Amino acid sequence: MNEPMRITPQDIARTNEAFRKTRANTVAKNAVSAQGIRSVARVPEAVAQNTIEAFDIEVSQGKRCDQQRSGRCWMFASLNIFRASIMRKYDLKSFELSEAYPLFFDKLEKSGWFLQSIMDTLDEPLDGRLVSHLLADPISDGGQWDMFCGLVKKYGVVPKETMPETACSRNTHDMDKFLARYLRGCAKTLRGAHVEGSSAHDLNAMAKDMLGNVQSLLITCLGEPPTSFDVRLRNKDDELVLTGTFTPQEFYDEVVGIQLDDYVSVISAPTADKPFNHTYTVKYMGNVVEYGQVRYLNLEPAELKRMAIAQLRDGQPVWFGCDVDQCFLRDEGIMDPAALDVDSLFGFAIEGCLNKAERLDYGESILTHAMVLEGVNLNNAGDPVLWKVENSWGKDHGRNGFDTLSDAWFDEYVYQVVVNKRYLTDDQRHILQTEEPIELAPWDPLGSLA
Protein backbone atom coordinates (compact mmCIF):
# COMPACT_ATOMS: atom_id res chain seq x y z
CA MET A 1 0.00 0.00 0.00
CA ASN A 2 1.35 3.44 -0.96
CA GLU A 3 2.18 5.83 1.84
CA PRO A 4 -0.46 8.62 2.14
CA MET A 5 0.50 11.85 0.38
CA ARG A 6 0.59 14.61 2.99
CA ILE A 7 0.96 18.30 2.24
CA THR A 8 3.73 19.57 4.51
CA PRO A 9 4.66 23.13 5.55
CA GLN A 10 7.85 22.65 3.53
CA ASP A 11 5.79 21.87 0.39
CA ILE A 12 3.77 25.05 0.82
CA ALA A 13 6.83 27.23 1.49
CA ARG A 14 8.68 25.82 -1.53
CA THR A 15 5.79 26.54 -3.90
CA ASN A 16 5.23 30.03 -2.47
CA GLU A 17 8.90 30.87 -2.97
CA ALA A 18 8.90 29.58 -6.55
CA PHE A 19 5.71 31.54 -7.31
CA ARG A 20 7.15 34.82 -6.03
CA LYS A 21 10.31 34.48 -8.11
CA THR A 22 8.41 34.71 -11.41
CA ARG A 23 7.27 38.21 -12.36
CA ALA A 24 4.42 36.87 -14.57
CA ASN A 25 2.91 35.11 -11.56
CA THR A 26 2.66 38.38 -9.63
CA VAL A 27 1.10 40.16 -12.61
CA ALA A 28 -1.40 37.31 -13.08
CA LYS A 29 -2.26 37.25 -9.36
CA ASN A 30 -2.94 40.98 -9.26
CA ALA A 31 -5.03 40.93 -12.44
CA VAL A 32 -7.07 37.78 -11.74
CA SER A 33 -7.83 38.68 -8.14
CA ALA A 34 -9.24 42.01 -9.34
CA GLN A 35 -10.93 41.05 -12.63
CA GLY A 36 -11.51 37.27 -12.64
CA ILE A 37 -10.01 34.46 -14.69
CA ARG A 38 -11.91 34.82 -17.98
CA SER A 39 -11.46 38.57 -18.24
CA VAL A 40 -7.69 38.26 -17.84
CA ALA A 41 -7.33 35.15 -20.04
CA ARG A 42 -9.33 36.83 -22.86
CA VAL A 43 -7.34 37.05 -26.13
CA PRO A 44 -8.42 40.20 -28.03
CA GLU A 45 -6.97 39.09 -31.38
CA ALA A 46 -9.07 35.90 -31.30
CA VAL A 47 -12.15 37.80 -30.13
CA ALA A 48 -11.81 40.04 -33.18
CA GLN A 49 -12.18 36.98 -35.44
CA ASN A 50 -15.65 36.29 -34.04
CA THR A 51 -17.58 38.95 -35.95
CA ILE A 52 -21.35 38.57 -36.32
CA GLU A 53 -22.06 41.27 -38.91
CA ALA A 54 -22.72 38.95 -41.88
CA PHE A 55 -22.68 35.23 -42.69
CA ASP A 56 -22.32 33.37 -45.97
CA ILE A 57 -25.35 31.22 -45.13
CA GLU A 58 -27.94 32.59 -42.71
CA VAL A 59 -31.52 31.91 -41.56
CA SER A 60 -33.58 34.73 -40.00
CA GLN A 61 -35.59 33.96 -36.85
CA GLY A 62 -37.38 37.05 -35.50
CA LYS A 63 -37.18 38.31 -31.91
CA ARG A 64 -35.00 36.59 -29.32
CA CYS A 65 -36.59 34.29 -26.74
CA ASP A 66 -35.61 34.01 -23.06
CA GLN A 67 -35.79 30.84 -20.95
CA GLN A 68 -35.00 32.99 -17.89
CA ARG A 69 -34.23 30.98 -14.73
CA SER A 70 -35.22 27.59 -16.06
CA GLY A 71 -33.48 24.66 -17.73
CA ARG A 72 -35.73 24.61 -20.80
CA CYS A 73 -33.07 25.30 -23.44
CA TRP A 74 -33.95 22.10 -25.34
CA MET A 75 -37.60 23.22 -25.52
CA PHE A 76 -36.70 26.73 -26.61
CA ALA A 77 -34.30 25.40 -29.26
CA SER A 78 -36.94 22.98 -30.56
CA LEU A 79 -39.67 25.63 -30.63
CA ASN A 80 -37.28 28.03 -32.38
CA ILE A 81 -36.96 25.42 -35.14
CA PHE A 82 -40.76 25.25 -35.36
CA ARG A 83 -41.30 29.00 -35.35
CA ALA A 84 -38.86 29.41 -38.25
CA SER A 85 -41.17 27.19 -40.29
CA ILE A 86 -44.25 29.17 -39.23
CA MET A 87 -42.66 32.54 -39.98
CA ARG A 88 -41.54 31.40 -43.41
CA LYS A 89 -44.91 29.80 -44.22
CA TYR A 90 -47.02 32.83 -43.28
CA ASP A 91 -44.45 35.60 -43.96
CA LEU A 92 -44.48 36.78 -40.33
CA LYS A 93 -42.16 39.39 -38.84
CA SER A 94 -41.84 37.39 -35.61
CA PHE A 95 -43.67 34.64 -33.73
CA GLU A 96 -43.26 32.62 -30.54
CA LEU A 97 -44.77 29.36 -29.36
CA SER A 98 -45.62 28.70 -25.72
CA GLU A 99 -42.74 27.21 -23.74
CA ALA A 100 -44.92 26.78 -20.63
CA TYR A 101 -47.17 24.34 -22.49
CA PRO A 102 -44.55 21.61 -23.17
CA LEU A 103 -43.05 22.28 -19.72
CA PHE A 104 -46.34 21.21 -18.12
CA PHE A 105 -46.57 17.95 -20.00
CA ASP A 106 -42.85 17.20 -19.74
CA LYS A 107 -43.07 17.38 -15.94
CA LEU A 108 -46.17 15.16 -15.97
CA GLU A 109 -44.65 12.60 -18.35
CA LYS A 110 -41.28 12.59 -16.59
CA SER A 111 -43.09 11.92 -13.31
CA GLY A 112 -44.80 8.93 -14.87
CA TRP A 113 -41.49 7.76 -16.39
CA PHE A 114 -39.82 8.07 -12.97
CA LEU A 115 -42.57 6.11 -11.17
CA GLN A 116 -42.41 3.39 -13.81
CA SER A 117 -38.62 3.22 -13.43
CA ILE A 118 -39.04 2.85 -9.67
CA MET A 119 -41.52 0.00 -10.18
CA ASP A 120 -39.10 -1.63 -12.63
CA THR A 121 -36.33 -1.56 -10.00
CA LEU A 122 -38.23 -2.57 -6.85
CA ASP A 123 -35.84 -5.44 -6.16
CA GLU A 124 -32.70 -3.36 -6.71
CA PRO A 125 -30.90 -2.22 -3.52
CA LEU A 126 -31.84 1.27 -2.40
CA ASP A 127 -28.18 2.24 -2.02
CA GLY A 128 -27.13 0.63 -5.30
CA ARG A 129 -25.89 2.77 -8.17
CA LEU A 130 -29.03 2.36 -10.30
CA VAL A 131 -31.67 3.40 -7.75
CA SER A 132 -29.37 6.12 -6.41
CA HIS A 133 -29.11 7.47 -9.96
CA LEU A 134 -32.88 7.46 -10.43
CA LEU A 135 -33.44 9.28 -7.13
CA ALA A 136 -30.69 11.85 -7.70
CA ASP A 137 -32.68 14.05 -10.11
CA PRO A 138 -36.17 12.67 -10.78
CA ILE A 139 -37.63 15.78 -12.43
CA SER A 140 -34.86 17.70 -14.19
CA ASP A 141 -35.78 20.61 -16.46
CA GLY A 142 -33.39 19.20 -19.07
CA GLY A 143 -34.22 17.06 -22.05
CA GLN A 144 -33.38 15.86 -25.53
CA TRP A 145 -34.75 16.33 -29.06
CA ASP A 146 -36.34 12.86 -29.10
CA MET A 147 -38.08 13.60 -25.82
CA PHE A 148 -39.47 16.85 -27.22
CA CYS A 149 -40.74 15.02 -30.29
CA GLY A 150 -42.67 12.64 -28.02
CA LEU A 151 -44.33 15.59 -26.28
CA VAL A 152 -45.30 17.20 -29.59
CA LYS A 153 -46.69 13.99 -31.07
CA LYS A 154 -48.86 13.45 -28.02
CA TYR A 155 -49.82 17.01 -27.05
CA GLY A 156 -49.13 19.33 -30.00
CA VAL A 157 -48.09 22.98 -29.53
CA VAL A 158 -49.85 26.29 -28.83
CA PRO A 159 -49.01 29.98 -29.42
CA LYS A 160 -47.29 31.81 -26.56
CA GLU A 161 -50.31 33.95 -25.66
CA THR A 162 -52.50 30.84 -25.37
CA MET A 163 -50.47 29.55 -22.40
CA PRO A 164 -48.17 32.36 -21.23
CA GLU A 165 -45.30 32.20 -18.78
CA THR A 166 -45.93 32.10 -15.02
CA ALA A 167 -43.68 32.78 -12.05
CA CYS A 168 -43.00 29.03 -11.84
CA SER A 169 -42.11 28.62 -15.53
CA ARG A 170 -39.81 31.64 -15.50
CA ASN A 171 -38.05 30.28 -12.40
CA THR A 172 -38.58 26.53 -12.01
CA HIS A 173 -36.44 26.03 -8.90
CA ASP A 174 -39.15 25.81 -6.26
CA MET A 175 -41.60 23.87 -8.42
CA ASP A 176 -38.87 21.33 -9.20
CA LYS A 177 -37.76 21.18 -5.58
CA PHE A 178 -41.18 20.33 -4.16
CA LEU A 179 -42.12 18.03 -7.02
CA ALA A 180 -38.83 16.11 -6.65
CA ARG A 181 -39.45 15.73 -2.92
CA TYR A 182 -42.94 14.38 -3.55
CA LEU A 183 -41.66 11.92 -6.16
CA ARG A 184 -38.97 10.61 -3.83
CA GLY A 185 -41.70 10.12 -1.25
CA CYS A 186 -43.69 8.22 -3.87
CA ALA A 187 -40.67 6.01 -4.52
CA LYS A 188 -40.42 5.25 -0.81
CA THR A 189 -44.15 4.38 -0.67
CA LEU A 190 -44.02 2.12 -3.73
CA ARG A 191 -40.93 0.27 -2.54
CA GLY A 192 -42.46 -0.16 0.92
CA ALA A 193 -45.72 -1.49 -0.54
CA HIS A 194 -43.74 -3.97 -2.64
CA VAL A 195 -41.95 -5.29 0.45
CA GLU A 196 -45.32 -5.74 2.12
CA GLY A 197 -46.55 -7.86 -0.78
CA SER A 198 -48.68 -5.48 -2.87
CA SER A 199 -49.47 -6.76 -6.36
CA ALA A 200 -48.33 -5.10 -9.58
CA HIS A 201 -51.96 -4.07 -10.18
CA ASP A 202 -52.12 -2.36 -6.80
CA LEU A 203 -48.79 -0.61 -7.33
CA ASN A 204 -49.96 0.70 -10.72
CA ALA A 205 -53.15 2.03 -9.11
CA MET A 206 -51.08 3.79 -6.44
CA ALA A 207 -48.85 5.32 -9.11
CA LYS A 208 -51.90 6.61 -11.02
CA ASP A 209 -53.14 8.36 -7.88
CA MET A 210 -49.69 9.85 -7.38
CA LEU A 211 -49.72 11.20 -10.94
CA GLY A 212 -53.05 12.85 -10.19
CA ASN A 213 -51.36 14.77 -7.39
CA VAL A 214 -48.50 15.71 -9.72
CA GLN A 215 -50.97 17.07 -12.25
CA SER A 216 -52.71 19.14 -9.57
CA LEU A 217 -49.36 20.60 -8.50
CA LEU A 218 -48.53 21.50 -12.11
CA ILE A 219 -51.90 23.18 -12.68
CA THR A 220 -51.33 25.24 -9.54
CA CYS A 221 -47.88 26.31 -10.76
CA LEU A 222 -48.38 26.64 -14.51
CA GLY A 223 -52.11 26.90 -15.11
CA GLU A 224 -54.34 24.43 -16.95
CA PRO A 225 -53.21 23.71 -20.54
CA PRO A 226 -55.75 24.67 -23.23
CA THR A 227 -57.57 21.97 -25.15
CA SER A 228 -58.61 24.40 -27.93
CA PHE A 229 -57.97 28.06 -28.76
CA ASP A 230 -58.59 30.78 -31.34
CA VAL A 231 -55.81 32.11 -33.56
CA ARG A 232 -55.43 35.28 -35.64
CA LEU A 233 -52.13 35.85 -37.46
CA ARG A 234 -51.16 38.86 -39.57
CA ASN A 235 -48.15 38.91 -41.90
CA LYS A 236 -45.52 41.61 -42.42
CA ASP A 237 -48.00 43.59 -44.53
CA ASP A 238 -50.65 43.42 -41.80
CA GLU A 239 -52.79 41.02 -43.85
CA LEU A 240 -54.79 38.37 -41.98
CA VAL A 241 -53.18 35.09 -43.06
CA LEU A 242 -54.52 32.61 -40.50
CA THR A 243 -57.73 32.51 -38.52
CA GLY A 244 -59.61 29.69 -36.81
CA THR A 245 -60.08 27.49 -33.79
CA PHE A 246 -57.56 24.72 -33.22
CA THR A 247 -56.67 21.97 -30.81
CA PRO A 248 -52.93 21.86 -29.97
CA GLN A 249 -52.50 18.81 -32.23
CA GLU A 250 -54.40 20.46 -35.09
CA PHE A 251 -52.30 23.59 -34.75
CA TYR A 252 -49.11 21.58 -35.04
CA ASP A 253 -50.30 19.57 -38.02
CA GLU A 254 -51.70 22.52 -39.97
CA VAL A 255 -49.52 25.44 -38.95
CA VAL A 256 -46.11 23.89 -38.13
CA GLY A 257 -46.32 20.78 -40.29
CA ILE A 258 -42.77 19.49 -39.74
CA GLN A 259 -42.61 15.71 -40.05
CA LEU A 260 -40.76 14.87 -36.86
CA ASP A 261 -39.91 11.32 -37.93
CA ASP A 262 -37.85 12.79 -40.78
CA TYR A 263 -35.28 14.09 -38.27
CA VAL A 264 -32.52 12.25 -36.46
CA SER A 265 -30.11 13.04 -33.60
CA VAL A 266 -26.54 12.71 -34.80
CA ILE A 267 -23.86 12.78 -32.11
CA SER A 268 -20.08 12.86 -32.04
CA ALA A 269 -18.63 11.13 -28.98
CA PRO A 270 -15.12 9.79 -29.74
CA THR A 271 -14.71 7.51 -26.70
CA ALA A 272 -13.38 3.97 -27.08
CA ASP A 273 -16.64 2.41 -25.84
CA LYS A 274 -18.71 4.15 -28.54
CA PRO A 275 -17.31 3.40 -32.01
CA PHE A 276 -18.45 5.70 -34.78
CA ASN A 277 -21.06 4.53 -37.31
CA HIS A 278 -23.26 2.83 -34.72
CA THR A 279 -26.51 3.78 -32.99
CA TYR A 280 -26.95 4.19 -29.23
CA THR A 281 -29.64 4.68 -26.62
CA VAL A 282 -29.53 5.31 -22.87
CA LYS A 283 -31.30 3.07 -20.36
CA TYR A 284 -34.02 4.76 -18.25
CA MET A 285 -33.69 8.04 -20.20
CA GLY A 286 -36.92 9.45 -21.57
CA ASN A 287 -40.27 11.03 -20.74
CA VAL A 288 -43.24 9.91 -22.88
CA VAL A 289 -43.57 6.15 -22.35
CA GLU A 290 -45.33 5.55 -25.68
CA TYR A 291 -42.36 6.86 -27.67
CA GLY A 292 -39.62 5.05 -25.79
CA GLN A 293 -36.01 5.98 -25.30
CA VAL A 294 -33.75 8.39 -27.16
CA ARG A 295 -31.72 7.22 -30.15
CA TYR A 296 -28.41 8.58 -31.47
CA LEU A 297 -26.24 7.93 -34.52
CA ASN A 298 -22.55 8.46 -33.64
CA LEU A 299 -20.41 9.99 -36.41
CA GLU A 300 -17.21 11.98 -36.93
CA PRO A 301 -17.50 15.75 -36.28
CA ALA A 302 -16.97 16.49 -39.98
CA GLU A 303 -20.20 14.65 -40.76
CA LEU A 304 -22.16 16.73 -38.26
CA LYS A 305 -20.83 19.88 -39.92
CA ARG A 306 -21.55 18.65 -43.44
CA MET A 307 -25.18 17.92 -42.62
CA ALA A 308 -25.67 21.13 -40.63
CA ILE A 309 -24.37 23.23 -43.52
CA ALA A 310 -26.61 21.38 -45.99
CA GLN A 311 -29.67 22.02 -43.84
CA LEU A 312 -28.78 25.71 -43.44
CA ARG A 313 -28.35 26.01 -47.22
CA ASP A 314 -31.92 24.76 -47.54
CA GLY A 315 -33.15 27.55 -45.27
CA GLN A 316 -33.68 25.50 -42.12
CA PRO A 317 -31.98 26.20 -38.75
CA VAL A 318 -30.28 23.35 -36.89
CA TRP A 319 -30.91 22.20 -33.28
CA PHE A 320 -27.59 21.35 -31.59
CA GLY A 321 -26.33 20.28 -28.17
CA CYS A 322 -23.01 21.27 -26.61
CA ASP A 323 -21.03 21.87 -23.43
CA VAL A 324 -21.70 25.60 -23.41
CA ASP A 325 -19.48 26.87 -20.57
CA GLN A 326 -16.21 25.62 -22.04
CA CYS A 327 -13.93 28.33 -23.51
CA PHE A 328 -16.88 30.72 -23.37
CA LEU A 329 -16.83 34.50 -23.06
CA ARG A 330 -20.43 34.72 -21.92
CA ASP A 331 -20.95 38.49 -21.93
CA GLU A 332 -19.64 38.77 -25.49
CA GLY A 333 -21.30 35.58 -26.68
CA ILE A 334 -18.07 34.01 -27.98
CA MET A 335 -17.24 30.29 -27.88
CA ASP A 336 -13.70 29.81 -29.12
CA PRO A 337 -10.72 27.93 -27.62
CA ALA A 338 -8.39 30.60 -29.00
CA ALA A 339 -10.29 33.44 -27.28
CA LEU A 340 -9.52 32.22 -23.74
CA ASP A 341 -5.91 31.33 -22.96
CA VAL A 342 -6.16 29.92 -19.44
CA ASP A 343 -3.06 27.73 -19.81
CA SER A 344 -0.75 30.68 -20.51
CA LEU A 345 -2.32 32.62 -17.64
CA PHE A 346 -1.54 29.93 -15.07
CA GLY A 347 1.60 28.57 -16.70
CA PHE A 348 0.62 24.92 -17.04
CA ALA A 349 -1.89 22.80 -18.98
CA ILE A 350 -5.46 23.14 -17.71
CA GLU A 351 -7.58 23.41 -20.85
CA GLY A 352 -5.01 21.27 -22.60
CA CYS A 353 -4.70 18.47 -20.04
CA LEU A 354 -7.50 16.34 -21.58
CA ASN A 355 -8.66 15.73 -25.14
CA LYS A 356 -12.33 15.44 -26.15
CA ALA A 357 -12.65 11.71 -25.46
CA GLU A 358 -10.80 12.03 -22.15
CA ARG A 359 -13.03 14.89 -21.05
CA LEU A 360 -16.06 12.64 -21.52
CA ASP A 361 -14.41 9.65 -19.84
CA TYR A 362 -13.18 11.60 -16.81
CA GLY A 363 -16.33 13.63 -16.14
CA GLU A 364 -14.96 16.99 -17.30
CA SER A 365 -17.47 17.49 -20.12
CA ILE A 366 -21.04 16.52 -20.94
CA LEU A 367 -23.84 17.96 -23.03
CA THR A 368 -25.21 20.86 -20.99
CA HIS A 369 -27.11 23.18 -23.34
CA ALA A 370 -29.14 23.18 -26.56
CA MET A 371 -29.26 26.08 -29.01
CA VAL A 372 -29.89 26.70 -32.70
CA LEU A 373 -27.37 27.12 -35.52
CA GLU A 374 -28.62 29.96 -37.74
CA GLY A 375 -25.65 30.68 -39.96
CA VAL A 376 -22.12 29.79 -40.99
CA ASN A 377 -19.13 31.45 -42.65
CA LEU A 378 -17.02 29.37 -45.06
CA ASN A 379 -13.45 29.74 -46.25
CA ASN A 380 -12.35 29.60 -49.89
CA ALA A 381 -12.31 25.80 -49.78
CA GLY A 382 -15.92 25.73 -48.56
CA ASP A 383 -15.01 24.63 -45.03
CA PRO A 384 -16.74 26.22 -42.01
CA VAL A 385 -14.80 28.74 -39.93
CA LEU A 386 -17.47 30.46 -37.80
CA TRP A 387 -21.05 29.56 -36.83
CA LYS A 388 -23.90 31.90 -35.85
CA VAL A 389 -25.92 30.69 -32.84
CA GLU A 390 -29.35 31.68 -31.58
CA ASN A 391 -29.38 31.26 -27.82
CA SER A 392 -32.42 31.38 -25.52
CA TRP A 393 -31.08 33.84 -22.95
CA GLY A 394 -32.90 36.93 -24.22
CA LYS A 395 -31.92 39.86 -26.44
CA ASP A 396 -29.55 41.35 -23.86
CA HIS A 397 -27.23 38.33 -23.92
CA GLY A 398 -24.20 38.25 -26.20
CA ARG A 399 -24.84 40.35 -29.28
CA ASN A 400 -28.58 41.00 -29.41
CA GLY A 401 -29.20 37.46 -28.18
CA PHE A 402 -26.79 35.82 -30.62
CA ASP A 403 -23.54 33.95 -29.98
CA THR A 404 -20.79 32.75 -32.28
CA LEU A 405 -18.79 29.58 -32.06
CA SER A 406 -15.57 28.93 -33.93
CA ASP A 407 -15.13 25.78 -35.96
CA ALA A 408 -12.41 24.67 -33.54
CA TRP A 409 -14.96 24.98 -30.69
CA PHE A 410 -17.41 22.89 -32.74
CA ASP A 411 -14.81 20.12 -32.95
CA GLU A 412 -14.22 20.10 -29.20
CA TYR A 413 -17.56 20.86 -27.56
CA VAL A 414 -20.47 20.26 -29.97
CA TYR A 415 -21.83 16.79 -29.28
CA GLN A 416 -25.07 16.67 -31.21
CA VAL A 417 -27.01 18.07 -34.16
CA VAL A 418 -30.54 17.28 -35.29
CA VAL A 419 -30.89 17.06 -39.06
CA ASN A 420 -33.29 15.78 -41.68
CA LYS A 421 -32.49 12.21 -42.67
CA ARG A 422 -32.14 13.26 -46.32
CA TYR A 423 -28.71 14.67 -45.46
CA LEU A 424 -27.43 11.27 -44.31
CA THR A 425 -25.48 9.09 -46.72
CA ASP A 426 -27.00 5.82 -47.91
CA ASP A 427 -24.71 3.89 -45.55
CA GLN A 428 -25.70 6.08 -42.60
CA ARG A 429 -29.40 5.64 -43.34
CA HIS A 430 -28.89 1.89 -43.55
CA ILE A 431 -27.24 1.85 -40.11
CA LEU A 432 -30.06 3.92 -38.66
CA GLN A 433 -32.77 1.71 -40.16
CA THR A 434 -31.30 -1.72 -39.51
CA GLU A 435 -29.04 -1.58 -36.45
CA GLU A 436 -30.40 -2.29 -32.99
CA PRO A 437 -29.16 0.56 -30.76
CA ILE A 438 -26.45 -0.24 -28.23
CA GLU A 439 -27.88 0.49 -24.78
CA LEU A 440 -25.69 2.66 -22.56
CA ALA A 441 -25.79 2.85 -18.76
CA PRO A 442 -28.03 5.59 -17.29
CA TRP A 443 -24.98 7.47 -15.96
CA ASP A 444 -23.12 7.46 -19.28
CA PRO A 445 -22.09 10.97 -20.44
CA LEU A 446 -24.57 10.64 -23.31
CA GLY A 447 -27.28 10.32 -20.67
CA SER A 448 -26.95 14.00 -19.80
CA LEU A 449 -29.90 16.29 -20.49
CA ALA A 450 -29.54 19.67 -22.18
Side-chain angles (χ1 to χ4, degrees), residues 195-231:
V195 170
E196 293 173 1
S198 293
S199 67
H201 179 271
D202 290 341
L203 291 173
N204 282 330
M206 292 170 63
K208 282 284 187 179
D209 288 341
M210 293 167 178
L211 282 176
N213 289 336
V214 169
Q215 185 172 339
S216 295
L217 183 152
L218 293 172
I219 293 172
T220 302
C221 293
L222 302 173
E224 187 173 345
T227 56
S228 67
F229 49 91
D230 294 330
V231 173

Side-chain angles (χ1 to χ4, degrees), residues 10 128 185 237 367 415:
Q10 292 78 13
D237 297 323
L367 189 153
Y415 292 115

Side-chain angles (χ1 to χ4, degrees), residues 276-290:
F276 288 128
N277 299 305
H278 290 284
T279 59
Y280 298 87
T281 188
V282 182
K283 194 171 185 179
Y284 293 111
M285 180 178 172
N287 56 354
V288 181
V289 172
E290 297 95 306

Side-chain angles (χ1 to χ4, degrees), residues 65-105:
C65 302
D66 190 351
Q67 70 186 76
Q68 299 188 61
R69 298 181 66 184
S70 72
R72 295 175 289 165
C73 60
W74 59 295
M75 293 182 178
F76 275 76
S78 301
L79 291 172
N80 282 339
I81 299 294
F82 295 170
R83 76 172 179 145
S85 175
I86 297 171
M87 290 171 59
R88 185 168 56 247
K89 183 176 180 179
Y90 294 99
D91 194 27
L92 305 178
K93 187 175 182 179
S94 192
F95 186 77
E96 190 170 353
L97 291 159
S98 170
E99 298 91 3
Y101 181 79
L103 175 66
F104 182 101
F105 288 110

Side-chain angles (χ1 to χ4, degrees), residues 239-384:
E239 299 167 333
L240 193 64
V241 290
L242 179 67
T243 179
T245 301
F246 299 86
T247 67
Q249 293 87 346
E250 290 168 345
F251 189 79
Y252 183 82
D253 292 340
E254 181 174 335
V255 178
V256 182
I258 294 174
Q259 298 300 310
L260 295 171
D261 290 338
D262 289 343
Y263 290 80
V264 59
S265 287
V266 184
I267 62 167
S268 189
T271 53
D273 63 331
K274 301 178 192 68
F276 288 128
N277 299 305
H278 290 284
T279 59
Y280 298 87
T281 188
V282 182
K283 194 171 185 179
Y284 293 111
M285 180 178 172
N287 56 354
V288 181
V289 172
E290 297 95 306
Y291 295 104
Q293 296 165 279
V294 300
R295 190 177 188 188
Y296 306 120
L297 174 62
N298 195 21
L299 300 175
E300 295 274 4
E303 284 299 283
L304 275 66
K305 298 177 192 178
R306 176 187 66 78
M307 290 183 278
I309 293 170
Q311 188 158 301
L312 288 170
R313 285 189 187 279
D314 287 341
Q316 295 183 44
V318 179
W319 191 107
F320 78 103
C322 64
D323 188 358
V324 70
D325 196 44
Q326 303 278 4
C327 302
F328 185 28
L329 294 171
R330 183 179 179 122
D331 290 342
E332 296 173 271
I334 293 172
M335 289 164 269
D336 185 354
L340 200 66
D341 191 359
V342 173
D343 291 3
S344 292
L345 174 64
F346 288 104
F348 53 91
I350 297 175
E351 295 282 0
C353 69
L354 298 169
N355 64 31
K356 187 174 184 177
E358 292 162 348
R359 287 193 295 269
L360 289 169
D361 284 338
Y362 282 84
E364 165 55 25
S365 184
I366 56 173
L367 189 153
T368 60
H369 192 48
M371 298 179 282
V372 175
L373 295 172
E374 279 195 7
V376 62
N377 277 342
L378 308 173
N379 61 20
N380 291 336
D383 299 321

Side-chain angles (χ1 to χ4, degrees), residues 396-418:
D396 296 328
H397 164 74
R399 287 156 285 178
N400 192 32
F402 290 105
D403 295 326
T404 55
L405 64 87
S406 69
D407 197 59
W409 198 94
F410 193 117
D411 285 332
E412 296 297 326
Y413 300 113
V414 170
Y415 292 115
Q416 179 183 11
V417 298
V418 173

